[in-house]
C-alpha cells in the first residue's frame, strides 16, 4: 500500500461522471472538414508545410516548428488542404487564429509509418526525437511539448515519475475510459517514459471513484514495479501540485517546477500518445474527448480526430439544441465557455459539456464579502483568497502579490464555496493580468528612460565639444588680432605701411592649419565610433535645411489638424475644449520654433562658405 | 444558438449568506428557549422587538444610502444583529433602550461603515456597549429573577407592560443582579459560602443561567458541525477564560470560581455566537486562536478587575480593534513556500 498524504483545502463537487461512463469509447468518424490550429500548446506556433490545394495523407506532417519550443501538426486523415487562414480556435477569449483546413477525401489513406518494436536499442535522444516528431504534447492541461518535458536539465534528476489518472474535475471521464479500455497502452507509454527518465519510482495516481480503471491498470501492471495509488476523491487532487503532495508528501517550490524536487507528472492520455508514437509510428492525430451534459441524448466518450468541429461531435452525441444553455470546453471547475460550436478539438481538449440552464444555473448576484473564511478553508494552495480578493478589488496589487497571488492555480474551489457568490477567480485573473501589464510597462519605461538618459549624455557631450571648438576659434582669433596689432605697431614703429593683406593671409593660413589638424584627427578616429567622447567630433555642424523644412511642414499640418479638431469640439460643445486649446497653443509654438530654426539655419549657411568647404571630400 | 458566457468555475455549491444567517438564528433558538423557560417572557419579547427594529432601521438606512433594500434585507444579517441584542439585553430592558441599542448597531456600527462586510466592529456589541454606558441603571437593574420554573414569575402581559412602559424601576419585585455581579460585589465582604446562599446561585452554579449557557453551547456545537463557524474562536475564548481563571481565581473567597465564569454570564453566547461574527473577527486559523484567546483573557480581566459587569461586549470590541493587526501577522504559509509572509518582512519570495 502506497503511503498517501493529504493536501489542505479542497472541495467535493457533485461528480456527474456516470453520465458519460455508461458507453464504451465510440469512434467519432470523419467530419466534412477538419480545422487544425497551428498552435495547440504552449510555445511557438507551427508553420505550414503545405499549400492550398495540396493532397495530404493521414499522418503526414503538415506544419512544423522551425525554431523555439513546439511540436509539429499532422494531417488526421487524407484529403485536400482547403484553406489556410484565421478560424475560431478554442480559447477563453473566443479569438481566431491561423489554422489549416483539411477537406477529407474519405479514403483515410495512411502515409508510411515506422513502428518500433524494440525502442531500447535506440539512443534515448532518438526516442525523444520520435516523440517530438509525432507531435506529442501534454494532453491534460496546458499542453507542454512532451519531449521537452521528458528531458529535464542535468541537475534535475527525476526520482519519481507520476502518471496522473486522478481526473478530479466533475463530468470529465476521458482519462477514466482510456484507463479502462486502453490500460495496456497507458502502461506501455509509461514504460517508455520511465526508460527515458530512469526514475526510482513509477506511480499511477487514480481517484477512488474510478475502481474499474484502477482494476484494469492493476492487471496491466502485473509483474512490474509500477505502483497503483488509489487516492481519496477530492477536488483538485488531479492538480499537479496537489497530486505530488498526495503521493510524495513533497511540495513543488513556489515558482518552480516538479523536476526541482525530482518529480515529474504526465497525463494518462499523453502516455497513450507516447506509446502510439513509438510502437505504431502514429503521430498524435486523435484523442479521447468526453461529451457530456444534460442537453445531450447519448453522452459518452469519443475517439476524435484532432480538428473535428465541436458541432459535429455534439450532433454525434445527440444534442438537444433547445435545451443547451451553456457550452463548456473542459470541466465545470476550470473550463471556459464557448461562443461558437465551430471551434475544433485540439490536443488539450478533454471534455465538452452541453449543460442545460437548470444543470449549471447562473450564479446569484455578487454580495458583500462577510469574511467567513470558507474560501481559505477550501483553498488547496493555502492562500487567503478573501484578502487576495480584497486587494484585487482595491487594485492594491502589490499587497496581493505579497500574499502570493501568483501561487493561485485558479482551481475555482474558493468561488465554489463562497456564500456571497463572489467570482473570486475572476478577480485573481484580473489582478494577475494587471500586474503582468504593469511589469511589461515598467520594463518599457525603464528602456525608454535609459534611451533618454543616453541621448541627454550625447547632447551634453556635443554641446561641450561645440563650446570647446568655439573657445579654440576665439583664442585663435584673439591671437591673430594680437599678432595683427603687434605687426601694425611694429610697422608703425618702423614707419612702414600697414600690410593688411599679410595679416589676412596669416589668418587664412591659421584656418587651414586648424582644418588639417581636425582632418587628421578624423582619420585616426573614424566617424563610425561616436562613443569616443573625449576626441573632437569631426562631423560638420551644417544645419540640414531640408530636414528643417520638413519639420516646419509637419508642424504646420499638425497645427491645422488640431485647429480643425478644436473647431469641431467647439461646435459640439465637447468637454475636452481646454485640452485641445492647450494642444493648439503648443503646436503654434512648435511651428514658430521650426520657422525660427529654419531662418537661423539659412542665415548661418549663407555667409559661411568656410563651413561648406569642410564638407568637401578630402584628398 | 446563443450560449451563456460565464467565467469558471461553472459549478457552485455555496450556502448563501442568507442561509448561513438563518442557521445562526436556528442555532440560537435553544438558548432563547432556555432563557424563556428560566427567566420569563422578557428575552422573547426583546428578540421580536429587536429584530423588528433591526429590519426597519436597516431598510431605512439602505433606502437613504440608495441601496437595493430587499436584496440586502434578505441576507438575514440585520435579523441576526437584532437577535443577538435581544438575547443579550436584560429581560426587562425598557423598549427604548433596546431600540437605541439596535439602531446604533445597524445604522452607526454597520451601515455607516459601508454595510455588510465593511464594519470593523461587531454591530450588536457596539449597540450593547453604547446603551450600557449611556443607561447604566436600566442595564443593570432589569435582569429577571430566575424564577419561572419555580412559580411567582410575571406573566407575558406583565412583562410586556413592564418593557413597554419604559420605566426603569417599575419591576422591582422581579428583578435582581446577575450572578457574576452579585458574587463580585459580595465577595469583598463575605466568604464564598456566604455569598452562594443568595437564591441566584441555586445549587452552587447559577440558577437558570447554567441551562441557558448549556443551550447556547449546544447551539454553538451545532454551528461547528454544520461548518458555519470553525472551532478555533470559541475554543480559544473558553481556553483563555479558563486559563486566566486557573491562574488567578483559584481562591473562591476572593474571585468568582471557574464554574461561574463559564456558566453564569454571557460566556457561551459570546464565545459561539458573538465572537465568531466573521466580519469583525480574525481570518486565518492562527489569527482566530489569538483573537479568541484575547477575548477570553479580556473577559476575565474585565469581570475580575473592571468596573462594568458586562465583559463580553467590551472584550469583543477590544479584540475587534486588534483584528487588522492580528491578520497582518498571521497569514498561513502558502503551498510551496518555506514560511509565511508575515507583516512587512520577507517582501521577496521565500
Amino acid at each position: 500500500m502506497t503511503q498517501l498524504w493529504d493536501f489542505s483545502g479542497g472541495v467535493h463537487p457533485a461528480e456527474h461522471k456516470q453520465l458519460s461512463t455508461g458507453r464504451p469509447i465510440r469512434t467519432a468518424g470523419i467530419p466534412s472538414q477538419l480545422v487544425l490550429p497551428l498552435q495547440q500548446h504552449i510555445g511557438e506556433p507551427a508553420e505550414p508545410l503545405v499549400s492550398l490545394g495540396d493532397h495530404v495523407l493521414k499522418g503526414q506532417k503538415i506544419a512544423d516548428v522551425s525554431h523555439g519550443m513546439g511540436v509539429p501538426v499532422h494531417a488526421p486523415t487524407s484529403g485536400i488542404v482547403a484553406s489556410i487562414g484565421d478560424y475560431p480556435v478554442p480559447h477563453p477569449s473566443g479569438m481566431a487564429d491561423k489554422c489549416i483546413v483539411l477537406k477529407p477525401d474519405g479514403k483515410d489513406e495512411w502515409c508510411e509509418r515506422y513502428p518500433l518494436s524494440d525502442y531500447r536499442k535506440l539512443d534515448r535522444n532518438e526516442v525523444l526525437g520520435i516523440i517530438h516528431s509525432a507531435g506529442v504534447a501534454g494532453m491534460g492541461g496546458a499542453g507542454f511539448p512532451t519531449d521537452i518535458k521528458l528531458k529535464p536539465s542535468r541537475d534535475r534528476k527525476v526520482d519519481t515519475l507520476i502518471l496522473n489518472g486522478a481526473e478530479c474535475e466533475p463530468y470529465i471521464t476521458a482519462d477514466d475510459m482510456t484507463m479502462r479500455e486502453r490500460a495496456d497502452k497507458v502502461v506501455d507509454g509509461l514504460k517508455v517514459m520511465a526508460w527515458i527518465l530512469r526514475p526510482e519510482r513509477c506511480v499511477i495516481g487514480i481517484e477512488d471513484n474510478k475502481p474499474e480503471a484502477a482494476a484494469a491498470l492493476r492487471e496491466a501492471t502485473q509483474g512490474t514495479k509500477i505502483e497503483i495509488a488509489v487516492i481519496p476523491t477530492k477536488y483538485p487532487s488531479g492538480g499537479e501540485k496537489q497530486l505530488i503532495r498526495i503521493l510524495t508528501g513533497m511540495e513543488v517550490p513556489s515558482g518552480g517546477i516538479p523536476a526541482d524536487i525530482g518529480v515529474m507528472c504526465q497525463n494518462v492520455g499523453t502516455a497513450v500518445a507516447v506509446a502510439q508514437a513509438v510502437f505504431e509510428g502514429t503521430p498524435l492525430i486523435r484523442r479521447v474527448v468526453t461529451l457530456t451534459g444534460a442537453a445531450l441524448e447519448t453522452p459518452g466518450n469519443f475517439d476524435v480526430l484532432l480538428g473535428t468541429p465541436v458541432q459535429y461531435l455534439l450532433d454525434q452525441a445527440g444534442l438537444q439544441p433547445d435545451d443547451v444553455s451553456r457550452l463548456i470546453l473542459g470541466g465545470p471547475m476550470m473550463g471556459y465557455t464557448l461562443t461558437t460550436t465551430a471551434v475544433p478539438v485540439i490536443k488539450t481538449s478533454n471534455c465538452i459539456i452541453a449543460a442545460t440552464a437548470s444543470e449549471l444555473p447562473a450564479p446569484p448576484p455578487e454580495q458583500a464579502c462577510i469574511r467567513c473564511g470558507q474560501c481559505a478553508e477550501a483553498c488547496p494552495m493555502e492562500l487567503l483568497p478573501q484578502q487576495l480578493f480584497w486587494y484585487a478589488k482595491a487594485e492594491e496589487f502589490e499587497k496581493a502579490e505579497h500574499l502570493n497571488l501568483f501561487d493561485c492555480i485558479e482551481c475555482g474551489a474558493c468561488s465554489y464555496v463562497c456564500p456571497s457568490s463572489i467570482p473570486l477567480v475572476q478577480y485573481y485573473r484580473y489582478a494577475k493580468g494587471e500586474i503582468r501589464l504593469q511589469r511589461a510597462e515598467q520594463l518599457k519605461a525603464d528602456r525608454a528612460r535609459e534611451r533618454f538618459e543616453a541621448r541627454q549624455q550625447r547632447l551634453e557631450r556635443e554641446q561641450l565639444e561645440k563650446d570647446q571648438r568655439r573657445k579654440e576659434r576665439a583664442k585663435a582669433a584673439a591671437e591673430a588680432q594680437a599678432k595683427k596689432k603687434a605687426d601694425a605697431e611694429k610697422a608703425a614703429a618702423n614707419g612702414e605701411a600697414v600690410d593688411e593683406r599679410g595679416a589676412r593671409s596669416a589668418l587664412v593660413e591659421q584656418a587651414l592649419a586648424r582644418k588639417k589638424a581636425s582632418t587628421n584627427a578624423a582619420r585616426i578616429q573614424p566617424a563610425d565610433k561616436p562613443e569616443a567622447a573625449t576626441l573632437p567630433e569631426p562631423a560638420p555642424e551644417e544645419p540640414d535645411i531640408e530636414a528643417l523644412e520638413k519639420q516646419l511642414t509637419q508642424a504646420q499640418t499638425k497645427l491645422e489638424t488640431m485647429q480643425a479638431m478644436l473647431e469641431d469640439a467647439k461646435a459640439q460643445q465637447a468637454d475636452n475644449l481646454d485640452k485641445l486649446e492647450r494642444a493648439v497653443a503648443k503646436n503654434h509654438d512648435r511651428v514658430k520654433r521650426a520657422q525660427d530654426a529654419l531662418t537661423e539655419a539659412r542665415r548661418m549657411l549663407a555667409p559661411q562658405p568656410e563651413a561648406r568647404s569642410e564638407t568637401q571630400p578630402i584628398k | 444558438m446563443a450560449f451563456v458566457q460565464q467565467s469558471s468555475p461553472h459549478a457552485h455549491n455555496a450556502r448563501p449568506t442568507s442561509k448561513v444567517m438563518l442557521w445562526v438564528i436556528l442555532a440560537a433558538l435553544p438558548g432563547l428557549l432556555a432563557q424563556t423557560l428560566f427567566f420569563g417572557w422578557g428575552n422573547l419579547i426583546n428578540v421580536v422587538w429587536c429584530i423588528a427594529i433591526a429590519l426597519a432601521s436597516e431598510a431605512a438606512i439602505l433606502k437613504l444610502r440608495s441601496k437595493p433594500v430587499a436584496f440586502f434585507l434578505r441576507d438575514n444579517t440585520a435579523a441576526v444583529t437584532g437577535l443577538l441584542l435581544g438575547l443579550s439585553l436584560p429581560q426587562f430592558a425598557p423598549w427604548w433602550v433596546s431600540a437605541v441599542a439596535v439602531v446604533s448597531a445597524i445604522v452607526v456600527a454597520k451601515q455607516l461603515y459601508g454595510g455588510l462586510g465593511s464594519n470593523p466592529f461587531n454591530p450588536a456589541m457596539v449597540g450593547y456597549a453604547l446603551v450600557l454606558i449611556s443607561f447604566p441603571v436600566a442595564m443593570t437593574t432589569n435582569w429577571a429573577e430566575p424564577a419561572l420554573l419555580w412559580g411567582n414569575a410575571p406573566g407575558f402581559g406583565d412583562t410586556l407592560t413592564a418593557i413597554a412602559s419604559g420605566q426603569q424601576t417599575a419591576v422591582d419585585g422581579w428583578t435582581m443582579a446577575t450572578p457574576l455581579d452579585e458574587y463580585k460585589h459580595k465577595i469583598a465582604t463575605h466568604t464564598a459560602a456566604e455569598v452562594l446562599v443568595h437564591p441566584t446561585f441555586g445549587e452552587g452554579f447559577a440558577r437558570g443561567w447554567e441551562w441557558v449557557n448549556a443551550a447556547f453551547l449546544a447551539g454553538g456545537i451545532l454551528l461547528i458541525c454544520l461548518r458555519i463557524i470553525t472551532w478555533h474562536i470559541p475554543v480559544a475564548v473558553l481556553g483563555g477564560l479558563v486559563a486566566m481563571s486557573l491562574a488567578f481565581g483559584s481562591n473562591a473567597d476572593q474571585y468568582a470560581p471557574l464554574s461561574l465564569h463559564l456558566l453564569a454570564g454571557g460566556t457561551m453566547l459570546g464565545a459561539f455566537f458573538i465572537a465568531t461574527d466573521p466580519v469583525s473577527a480574525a481570518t486565518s486559523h492562527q489569527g482566530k486562536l489569538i483573537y479568541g484567546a484575547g477575548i477570553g483573557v479580556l473577559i476575565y480581566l474585565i469581570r475580575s478587575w473592571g468596573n462594568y459587569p458586562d465583559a463580553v461586549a467590551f472584550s469583543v470590541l477590544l479584540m475587534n480593534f486588534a483584528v487588522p493587526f492580528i491578520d497582518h501577522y498571521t497569514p498561513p504559509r502558502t503551498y510551496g513556500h518555506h514560511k509565511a509572509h508575515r507583516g512587512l518582512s520577507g517582501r521577496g519570495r521565500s
Side-chain angles (χ1 to χ4, degrees):
Chain A
M1 192 68 199
T2 313
Q3 190 192 348
L4 298 179
W5 284 262
D6 191 16
F7 66 93
S8 71
V11 291
H12 295 91
E15 291 171 21
H16 298 288
K17 300 223 183 201
Q18 74 295 343
L19 266 178
S20 52
T21 52
R23 295 174 184 81
I25 299 174
R26 286 170 276 174
T27 307
I30 304 171
S32 58
Q33 68 168 24
L34 293 163
V35 183
L36 295 148
L38 294 175
Q39 185 167 28
Q40 304 188 18
H41 50 72
I42 289 177
E44 298 295 320
E47 285 150 25
L49 304 173
V50 290
S51 26
L52 212 61
D54 281 3
H55 183 264
V56 294
L57 293 172
K58 182 173 187 171
Q60 183 183 328
K61 196 183 278 184
I62 54 171
D64 202 355
V65 175
S66 55
H67 63 279
M69 191 174 80
V71 289
V73 179
H74 302 80
T77 184
S78 57
I80 308 284
V81 177
S83 161
I84 299 175
D86 283 357
Y87 288 88
V89 293
H91 192 271
S93 70
M95 68 175 195
D97 200 9
K98 208 168 176 197
C99 300
I100 296 177
V101 177
L102 200 63
K103 200 109 196 147
D105 58 11
K107 292 180 196 152
D108 210 24
E109 212 177 326
W110 271 103
C111 67
E112 203 163 343
R113 285 178 287 172
Y114 304 96
L116 263 180
S117 53
D118 198 355
Y119 61 90
R120 285 188 175 83
K121 282 186 185 150
L122 294 182
D123 183 67
R124 284 183 167 77
N125 280 327
E126 283 179 281
V127 177
L128 284 170
I130 291 170
I131 293 171
H132 170 82
S133 53
V136 182
M139 290 165 78
F144 196 86
T146 302
D147 59 303
I148 297 176
K149 194 171 175 181
L150 283 173
K151 207 162 64 181
S153 59
R154 268 162 201 272
D155 53 327
R156 289 164 169 161
K157 166 89 180 81
V158 171
D159 306 314
T160 309
L161 175 62
I162 294 174
L163 203 58
N164 188 347
E167 201 165 45
C168 59
E169 274 242 30
Y171 284 98
I172 311 179
T173 55
D175 287 351
D176 185 3
M177 295 307 286
T178 304
M179 288 186 284
R180 286 192 207 183
E181 296 187 16
R182 300 171 186 179
D184 290 332
K185 275 190 184 164
V186 172
V187 175
D188 285 347
L190 178 58
K191 281 179 184 164
V192 174
M193 294 194 278
W195 175 76
I196 292 168
L197 292 165
R198 283 173 274 200
E200 285 156 26
R201 184 183 170 210
C202 267
V203 49
I204 309 178
I206 309 172
E207 276 194 341
D208 57 12
N209 58 0
K210 305 180 220 347
E212 296 93 338
L217 282 173
R218 273 212 186 89
E219 208 184 303
T221 52
Q222 248 166 24
T224 67
K225 281 193 205 159
I226 299 168
E227 291 171 51
I228 308 288
V230 177
I231 61 173
T233 299
K234 176 163 101 169
Y235 178 84
S237 59
E240 189 174 67
K241 289 177 173 169
Q242 279 64 42
L243 188 62
I244 288 171
R245 164 105 191 130
I246 293 170
L247 295 178
T248 69
M250 293 191 287
E251 291 184 5
V252 182
S254 171
I257 58 168
D260 293 340
I261 52 167
V263 183
M264 182 181 295
C265 267
Q266 293 283 359
N267 175 263
V268 172
T270 315
V272 174
V274 167
Q276 285 171 337
V278 173
F279 297 109
E280 298 169 17
T282 316
L284 180 54
I285 52 169
R286 57 195 319 143
R287 66 158 297 144
V288 178
V289 181
T290 305
L291 269 111
T292 184
L296 298 179
E297 218 161 48
T298 53
N301 282 279
F302 288 84
D303 195 344
V304 180
L305 294 181
L306 298 183
T308 301
V310 166
Q311 180 64 53
Y312 175 84
L313 290 174
L314 291 172
D315 291 341
Q316 299 265 307
L319 176 74
Q320 307 292 301
D322 296 336
D323 295 344
V324 62
S325 106
R326 204 185 304 190
L327 203 59
I328 299 163
L329 190 66
M333 297 300 283
M334 291 185 76
Y336 49 87
T337 48
L338 292 178
T339 46
T340 162
T341 54
V343 299
V345 163
I346 59 170
K347 291 174 184 177
T348 52
S349 320
N350 52 3
C351 181
I352 296 157
I353 307 173
T356 61
S358 59
E359 189 179 14
L360 293 177
E366 177 180 341
Q367 283 172 288
C369 169
I370 53 165
R371 301 179 16 111
C372 67
Q374 302 264 336
C375 47
E377 299 276 312
C379 180
M381 295 301 286
E382 293 155 86
L383 292 162
L384 289 173
Q386 159 208 317
Q387 269 89 331
L388 290 176
F389 152 70
W390 211 251
Y391 292 140
K393 199 174 177 184
E395 308 206 333
E396 291 180 296
F397 300 127
E398 203 181 314
K399 287 183 183 168
E401 249 192 296
H402 184 57
L403 287 180
N404 306 322
L405 170 70
F406 279 94
D407 285 296
C408 170
I409 56 170
E410 301 182 18
C411 69
C414 51
S415 305
Y416 179 79
V417 297
C418 179
S420 299
S421 89
I422 301 169
L424 292 161
V425 183
Q426 251 174 301
Y427 280 99
Y428 309 147
R429 287 192 191 119
Y430 160 70
K432 284 181 184 176
E434 287 294 305
I435 292 170
R436 288 196 188 109
L437 208 69
Q438 279 178 8
R439 277 185 195 156
E441 268 167 18
Q442 184 63 46
L443 206 68
K444 231 161 82 184
D446 284 349
R447 289 208 184 115
R449 203 192 60 238
E450 276 162 25
R451 273 206 304 274
F452 174 76
E453 279 168 1
R455 181 171 177 273
Q456 285 299 105
Q457 273 176 5
R458 180 170 56 83
L459 290 177
E460 269 169 35
R461 201 180 62 220
E462 283 173 4
Q463 187 61 40
L464 273 178
E465 283 161 8
K466 223 189 264 174
D467 288 350
Q468 186 67 28
R469 279 201 295 275
R470 195 178 297 135
K471 264 184 209 149
E472 273 167 18
R473 271 203 300 276
K475 202 172 144 202
E479 272 167 13
Q481 200 74 36
K483 196 174 174 220
K484 191 174 149 192
K485 204 175 166 194
D487 284 352
E489 271 167 13
K490 210 167 139 192
N494 292 347
E496 287 170 16
V498 180
D499 188 356
E500 292 251 345
R501 290 171 72 135
R504 209 168 281 162
S505 72
L507 265 179
V508 170
E509 262 171 25
Q510 269 174 6
L512 279 175
R514 268 206 318 279
K515 173 90 205 99
K516 206 171 173 188
S518 80
T519 315
N520 286 340
R523 280 214 191 101
I524 293 159
Q525 188 67 39
D528 62 357
K529 282 191 183 169
E531 66 266 28
T534 46
L535 284 167
E537 203 178 81
E541 274 179 58
E542 183 198 13
D544 189 344
I545 298 275
E546 239 170 68
L548 284 169
E549 273 169 349
K550 208 167 151 194
Q551 248 174 29
L552 178 61
T553 0
Q554 274 171 353
Q556 276 166 338
T557 326
K558 198 157 178 202
L559 176 62
E560 278 159 24
T561 324
M562 294 308 293
Q563 270 168 339
M565 275 169 75
L566 179 61
E567 269 152 35
D568 279 356
K570 271 180 183 161
Q572 288 166 17
Q573 306 257 311
D575 49 6
N576 57 347
L577 271 184
D578 51 334
K579 248 188 215 166
L580 281 170
E581 269 164 9
R582 273 205 303 278
V584 168
K586 220 190 234 170
N587 277 299
H588 260 303
D589 288 352
R590 202 168 286 157
V591 171
K592 194 163 177 297
R593 271 205 307 277
Q595 264 166 348
D596 288 352
L598 192 60
T599 337
E600 173 75 6
R602 283 198 179 122
R603 195 181 55 74
M604 267 173 76
L605 278 183
Q608 282 188 359
E610 189 193 359
R612 179 156 299 179
S613 73
E614 284 186 16
T615 61
Q616 280 168 3
I618 290 145
K619 283 171 191 156
Chain B
M1 280 175 282
F3 302 112
V4 173
Q5 296 301 299
Q6 183 81 47
S7 174
S8 65
H10 305 280
H12 292 272
N13 185 34
R15 208 165 13 190
T17 305
S18 57
K19 273 221 180 104
V20 170
M21 294 299 156
L22 203 60
W23 274 114
V24 173
I25 294 172
L26 291 177
L29 290 184
L32 179 59
L33 185 72
Q35 282 181 329
T36 312
L37 278 177
F38 290 97
F39 296 97
W41 297 99
N43 282 116
L44 191 58
I45 294 168
N46 273 349
V47 163
V48 173
W49 170 242
C50 286
I51 290 180
I53 292 284
L55 293 177
S57 49
E58 175 106 329
I61 188 84
L62 284 171
K63 186 99 187 145
L64 268 177
R65 292 183 63 211
S66 306
K67 301 269 176 188
V69 176
F71 178 77
F72 281 108
L73 275 190
R74 271 202 297 269
D75 66 23
N76 290 334
T77 51
V80 167
T81 301
L83 171 82
L84 292 178
L85 278 169
L87 294 172
S88 340
L89 290 167
Q91 286 81 10
F92 298 110
W95 62 271
W96 52 269
V97 169
S98 323
V100 169
V102 175
V103 170
S104 50
I106 297 288
V107 174
V108 181
K110 184 178 170 188
Q111 291 292 344
L112 292 192
Y113 275 103
L116 178 62
S118 305
N119 47 299
F121 304 108
N122 186 317
M125 290 304 102
V126 170
Y128 190 94
L130 184 98
V131 291
L132 180 65
I133 297 168
S134 310
F135 316 113
V137 181
M139 288 294 288
T140 47
T141 59
N142 287 313
W143 292 96
E145 191 180 341
L148 191 73
L149 283 186
W150 297 270
N152 175 36
F156 180 79
D158 291 337
T159 312
L160 190 61
T161 316
I163 290 172
S165 70
Q167 301 292 315
Q168 288 178 16
T169 50
V171 284
D172 263 355
W174 312 320
T175 59
M176 62 191 315
T178 60
L180 275 167
D181 216 19
E182 177 76 18
Y183 199 96
K184 186 176 164 186
H185 288 115
K186 287 262 177 73
I187 202 69
T189 49
H190 298 73
T191 63
E194 287 166 345
V195 174
L196 287 174
V197 296
H198 190 274
T200 189
F201 299 104
E203 302 299 314
F205 282 136
R207 197 146 62 106
W209 288 88
E210 66 228 358
W211 290 105
V212 171
N213 271 295
F216 281 125
L217 174 65
I221 289 170
L222 174 70
L223 289 183
I224 292 175
C225 293
L226 289 170
R227 293 171 166 258
I228 284 172
I229 58 173
T230 62
W231 57 269
H232 302 82
I233 291 177
V235 167
V237 170
L238 300 179
L241 183 58
V242 168
M244 287 296 282
S245 187
L246 292 180
F248 297 99
S250 52
N251 182 2
D253 290 333
Q254 206 175 355
Y255 296 111
L258 178 59
S259 59
L260 279 190
H261 275 294
L262 289 179
L263 297 172
T267 308
M268 295 300 170
L269 177 65
F272 288 91
F273 288 86
I274 293 169
T276 51
D277 164 31
V279 176
S280 53
T283 49
S284 69
H285 288 167
Q286 197 191 346
K288 283 176 184 171
L289 289 175
I290 296 171
Y291 170 78
I295 292 176
V297 168
L298 281 170
I299 289 177
Y300 190 84
L301 291 177
I302 295 170
R303 277 182 182 170
S304 303
W305 297 292
N307 265 337
Y308 275 96
D310 297 77
V312 173
F314 292 117
S315 306
V316 169
L317 290 175
L318 281 171
M319 288 312 289
N320 285 166
F321 273 108
V323 161
F325 176 78
I326 295 172
D327 277 348
H328 197 60
Y329 286 98
T330 55
R333 183 196 69 100
T334 307
Y335 176 108
H337 289 257
H338 290 300
K339 55 182 175 50
H341 286 175
R342 297 259 148 98
L344 294 171
S345 67
R347 280 247 158 202
R349 303 186 85 80
S350 62

